[in-house]
Amino acid sequence: MEPGMSETHGFDPQTLHAVNASAAFNRSVGFEVAAAGKGEVTIRMSWRDDLTQYSGHLHAGLIAALLDTACGFAAATLVGPVTASHFSMNCLRLAIGTYFVAKGTTLRAGRRQVFARAELFAADERDDLALVATGETVLVPTGEPRKADGS
């Protein structure tokens, strides 16, 4: 069996942490994998003023990135590397909080397509969570991850 792959060919939590750490965007905005396994993932990101839009709440691009990453990482726990072929999101309220939690769930994992959804929550100063956005993704398994040398 390949290192980092489980019996179902999905990424184990250690590999998923390494994949997250290797993604420059995820590092730059502070995505942290809080939990992962069995088709589910939880990602956390702390509030940062430099990630807001002109009105002072989290930029929709970051909302999309959190939802997309949660969907992709949830799917990766079952099937390994994936890429999105379709993504949609719904913003339900202003994304303002001390930190954000994105919870991704795999709905169906097939050989050619994987369906996943995610919810994004904003935490207040008491750690109470409020749902701020939802997203759904259709993903395509890509096989082996690309190596650092581009092969």
Side-chain angles (χ1 to χ4, degrees):
M1 185 180 320
E2 300 286 327
M5 301 291 272
S6 71
E7 289 180 24
T8 60
H9 304 290
F11 289 157
D12 60 34
Q14 181 181 359
T15 300
L16 199 58
H17 283 279
V19 167
N20 184 58
S22 73
F25 178 82
N26 294 13
R27 283 193 320 271
S28 70
V29 295
F31 288 2
E32 299 172 22
V33 177
K38 298 181 182 175
E40 298 185 350
V41 74
T42 301
I43 297 172
R44 182 180 159 131
M45 185 188 86
S46 295
W47 174 267
R48 286 182 21 196
D49 290 335
D50 63 331
L51 299 178
T52 63
Q53 51 86 283
Y54 62 91
S55 294
H57 51 275
L58 190 65
H59 192 284
L62 261 295
I63 293 170
L66 280 160
L67 292 168
D68 175 62
T69 302
C71 286
F73 282 5
T77 67
L78 296 177
V79 301
V82 294
T83 191
S85 67
H86 176 78
F87 172 77
S88 65
M89 75 174 186
N90 295 298
C91 296
L92 307 173
R93 63 177 359 158
L94 297 179
I96 300 172
T98 57
Y99 62 91
F100 299 93
V101 176
K103 296 183 179 187
T105 304
T106 306
L107 303 174
R108 182 180 179 281
R111 287 183 304 125
R112 294 186 180 181
Q113 290 183 321
V114 181
F115 298 86
R117 80 168 139 221
E119 297 177 314
L120 180 65
F121 299 89
D124 65 15
E125 58 282 341
R126 296 183 312 261
D127 289 331
D128 291 332
L129 299 177
L131 181 64
V132 297
T134 62
E136 294 187 349
T137 308
V138 179
L139 302 125
V140 178
T142 61
E144 294 302 312
R146 189 171 49 115
K147 295 181 175 72
D149 66 3
S151 61

